[in-house]
Amino acid sequence: MPIPLVNSIASWFLKKRFHQIELFLKYPNEVQNELLFSLLDFAKHTELGKRYDFSSIKNYSTFAERVPIKNYDGWQDIIERARLGENNIFWPTPIKWFAKSSGTTRARSKFIPVSPESLEDCHYAASKDLLCMYLNNNEDSQLFTGKSLRLGGSKELYKENGTVFGDLSAILIDNMPFWAEFSSTPSNKVSLMSDWEHKMQAIVDETINENVTSLAGVPSWMLVLLHHVLETTGKTNLVEVWPNLEVYFHGGVSFTPYTNQYKNIIPERTFKYYEIYNASEGFFAIQDQNNSNELLLMLDYGIFYEFIPMDLYDTPNEKAIPLSEVELDVNYAIIITTNAGLWRYKLGDTVRFTCLSPYRIKISGRTKHHINVFGEELIIENAEEALKKVCKRTKAEIVDFTAAPIFMEGKEKGAHEWLIEFKTHPKDLNYFTELFDNALKALNSDYEAKRYNNITLNKPTINVARRHLFYDWLKQNNKLGGQHKIPRLSNSRHYLEALLELNVR
């Protein structure tokens, strides 16, 4: 199909969809309120709907009083029943698909329900919206002259009790319309390969001769793949391999630690980076402007949002608020009610609102992935921003990192211990540590207060990880693949101790 025709068809879809987007931009709280009651009405005859009498809920406050907030552990029992083939427990439509993701304290793996409605009205709708927004902002785009290199998870789909589970990316690929494969590379067969290391080379072999115009995947794993591409082709940058490459759609982990490494292998020219915010539980937000680090919260994907201020999270005073009550620059935990039957579900992510009209957010971290042993409340956002600043100043490059507390013993003060794998090492690690400590103080007043005169915290300790340490740890724990991530910050030393032990082997 000629490219001008493709662009004109895309433009038609864009204009049609923009009217709907304008509706939630103009009336966000009304759209969210209407969505909540639509979900309640649709599920009123389910087991949960009868338990909490959904049909009599007439306002948000009654919904909040009646339906409890739970994490995955709290809903696990009824999700397991659905996996065994029971229907109409928490959602009226039979649920065949379950997205497998990393586990919780109680469960080794989470199995997130994926309903037909969430597939169509959330995940696939978001993919179309992402392209629409990109094309609207870049009218001279040649996106459709070539293919998108997608990098998904490496798990196969497993059938069990008449239901199917696997990585979300595998579920999405398996349910895509047949024509979607023509616009992407590698083939579905290679995309769904389970052996990550063989899959990497198979992707390289299949994509280096394609006309790739866009990239899509998690930054950490995509970087590994792109270095394989350069090694195989002998080229110095990706534009020499794919001359028409113009955009990278990324999500899953923060892009901040990887910014400079991508700039080193992709000449800036007019190359664009577009961030998305999705998870097994749903698709939540999309970067809707060029060169922005803010994400537009999408309010009509069948997801009703609530938020808990992090200073109240997991306390006796914990209380969720609706979207209409959020404030700028407050760190919130996200609570979602979805069109896959997750009711007031603790997602585990934290965000800050950067704009209230429209509602735009930045992902600030995880509810559990932070260090707050000494009252320092250090979140991933602080750590990544500090590392970015210090790497720029010292010309260092980081592959991966993790951190944990050094607990107080006797008269010894506490501290944070870091394990960092460098691609380019700093010339002076002590200087790097000093700059990093100062950067954290500048970004986090609680950390600064605990570090003042070493009153509670000593200076951080930084250990240098050997080459491929984090990759080896993931491999050892059967976690190779696009949706697995290194635990960045932890209140325990569990991950750090295992990595330090592996570091000396």
Side-chain angles (χ1 to χ4, degrees):
M1 189 181 290
I3 295 308
L5 180 58
V6 174
N7 279 340
S8 65
I9 292 171
S11 177
W12 180 81
F13 274 110
L14 171 71
K15 285 170 183 166
K16 186 180 177 187
R17 171 60 180 143
F18 254 45
H19 289 306
Q20 298 167 316
I21 291 174
E22 283 171 353
L23 185 67
F24 79 67
L25 290 177
K26 193 172 183 182
Y27 305 106
N29 301 312
E30 291 83 352
V31 166
Q32 276 279 283
N33 204 47
E34 186 178 320
L35 193 152
L36 171 62
F37 291 107
S38 171
L39 294 171
L40 288 167
D41 184 62
F42 192 63
K44 64 187 176 186
H45 297 305
T46 62
E47 183 180 310
L48 274 186
K50 292 173 182 174
R51 182 189 302 173
Y52 299 117
D53 194 10
F54 284 179
S55 58
S56 72
I57 295 176
K58 304 300 180 189
N59 53 54
Y60 168 73
S61 59
T62 304
F63 170 72
E65 287 166 11
R66 197 174 292 177
V67 182
I69 294 173
K70 296 182 181 181
N71 59 14
Y72 181 83
D73 289 345
W75 293 118
Q76 185 188 359
D77 291 344
I78 60 172
I79 289 174
E80 281 302 303
R81 286 171 53 198
R83 286 188 65 218
L84 291 171
E86 276 193 67
N87 292 323
N88 209 39
I89 305 170
F90 46 81
W91 192 246
T93 309
I95 294 178
K96 174 185 176 185
W97 301 94
F98 292 83
K100 183 181 178 184
S101 66
S102 54
T104 65
T105 51
R106 184 176 156 199
R108 186 168 173 267
S109 295
K110 293 190 292 185
F111 295 91
I112 305 300
V114 180
S115 68
E117 291 82 2
S118 65
L119 267 179
E120 288 300 325
D121 302 335
C122 183
H123 293 288
Y124 289 145
S127 299
K128 294 171 195 168
D129 283 353
L130 174 62
L131 292 176
C132 280
M133 288 178 184
Y134 177 75
L135 291 171
N136 185 58
N137 294 335
N138 303 280
E139 292 179 358
D140 58 349
S141 167
Q142 297 296 300
L143 203 62
F144 294 117
T145 61
K147 295 187 176 184
S148 173
L149 194 169
R150 64 182 181 205
L151 183 59
S154 59
K155 296 288 183 187
E156 292 175 346
L157 296 170
Y158 300 93
K159 294 196 174 181
E160 188 175 280
N161 308 308
T163 60
V164 180
F165 69 88
D167 270 7
L168 175 67
S169 56
I171 292 172
L172 295 178
I173 289 169
D174 208 53
N175 283 280
M176 276 181 182
F178 73 93
W179 49 263
E181 188 172 359
F182 295 122
S183 63
S184 59
T185 187
S187 62
N188 287 0
K189 181 181 177 183
V190 170
S191 292
L192 295 175
M193 284 175 67
S194 58
D195 186 322
W196 184 255
E197 291 176 313
H198 285 104
K199 173 179 173 174
M200 271 290 183
Q201 193 57 49
I203 293 174
V204 173
D205 294 341
E206 202 168 287
T207 59
I208 54 177
N209 294 316
E210 294 280 7
N211 176 24
V212 173
T213 54
S214 66
L215 308 171
V218 176
S220 51
W221 291 108
M222 181 62 76
L223 195 60
V224 174
L225 172 67
L226 297 179
H227 281 303
H228 272 294
V229 168
L230 293 177
E231 286 168 17
T232 301
T233 60
K235 304 296 185 183
T236 57
N237 68 66
L238 291 174
V239 175
E240 292 177 2
V241 183
W242 300 306
N244 299 312
L245 190 64
E246 63 175 78
V247 61
Y248 174 26
F249 300 110
H250 62 87
V253 298
S254 169
F255 192 64
T256 303
Y258 304 101
T259 305
N260 291 332
Q261 293 183 65
Y262 274 89
K263 286 180 179 177
N264 287 341
I265 60 173
I266 305 175
E268 287 203 59
R269 300 181 304 147
T270 56
F271 190 78
K272 306 283 193 307
Y273 294 90
Y274 262 62
E275 185 176 358
I276 60 172
Y277 176 25
N278 67 333
S280 299
E281 291 86 351
F283 207 120
F284 312 119
I286 297 172
Q287 179 182 326
D288 64 321
Q289 305 167 102
N290 284 342
N291 306 314
S292 172
N293 59 2
E294 300 177 332
L295 305 176
L296 180 68
L297 193 63
M298 305 301 287
L299 303 179
D300 62 352
Y301 286 169
I303 298 173
F304 178 76
Y305 292 98
E306 296 173 87
F307 303 89
I308 299 175
M310 276 305 289
D311 58 357
L312 299 179
Y313 190 82
D314 268 350
T315 72
N317 298 320
E318 179 179 282
K319 183 178 184 293
I321 58 173
L323 184 65
S324 58
E325 295 180 23
V326 298
E327 299 175 2
L328 292 175
D329 294 321
V330 174
N331 206 29
Y332 291 108
I334 305 180
I335 309 301
I336 55 173
T337 293
T338 77
N339 53 2
L342 296 174
W343 297 92
R344 305 197 84 200
Y345 174 90
K346 285 184 173 180
L347 185 60
D349 289 343
T350 60
V351 298
R352 288 186 298 107
F353 283 86
T354 57
C355 180
L356 300 182
S357 184
Y359 286 103
R360 288 201 177 96
I361 61 170
K362 282 185 182 179
I363 304 162
S364 53
R366 298 278 296 168
T367 53
K368 291 183 179 177
H369 290 192
H370 66 288
I371 303 179
N372 193 31
V373 172
F374 311 103
E376 67 276 44
E377 197 61 59
L378 185 69
I379 60 175
I380 291 176
E381 188 180 31
N382 301 149
E384 290 177 333
E385 186 60 32
L387 285 170
K388 180 183 176 183
K389 287 181 176 179
V390 177
C391 282
K392 186 175 181 181
R393 190 158 165 189
T394 61
K395 295 184 169 54
E397 290 181 300
I398 287 175
V399 176
D400 250 317
F401 71 90
T402 193
I406 298 172
F407 295 102
M408 295 177 175
E409 278 192 33
K411 295 181 179 179
E412 275 298 308
K413 305 283 176 61
H416 292 170
E417 185 169 7
W418 298 75
L419 181 59
I420 301 176
E421 182 181 340
F422 291 98
K423 183 170 183 279
T424 304
H425 290 252
K427 290 179 180 176
D428 184 337
L429 188 62
N430 288 330
Y431 181 56
F432 182 95
T433 304
E434 184 183 336
L435 290 178
F436 181 51
D437 185 33
N438 290 335
L440 288 175
K441 289 176 187 174
L443 288 164
N444 185 317
S445 57
D446 290 323
Y447 177 85
E448 182 183 33
K450 303 303 179 292
R451 281 284 295 119
Y452 180 72
N453 286 341
N454 294 352
I455 190 167
T456 304
L457 286 176
N458 285 326
K459 191 170 71 170
T461 297
I462 294 182
N463 303 297
V464 176
R466 63 170 173 79
R467 194 164 178 254
H468 298 318
L469 171 69
F470 290 96
Y471 184 91
D472 291 345
W473 181 82
L474 288 168
K475 184 178 180 180
Q476 180 178 288
N477 288 278
N478 197 28
K479 290 179 178 289
L480 289 181
Q483 293 188 329
H484 294 296
K485 305 154 196 172
I486 296 295
R488 301 291 202 199
L489 305 179
S490 176
N491 277 327
S492 84
R493 293 182 60 84
H494 172 73
Y495 298 114
L496 182 66
E497 294 289 0
L499 282 156
L500 286 171
E501 185 180 339
L502 193 61
N503 197 39
V504 296
R505 289 183 190 172

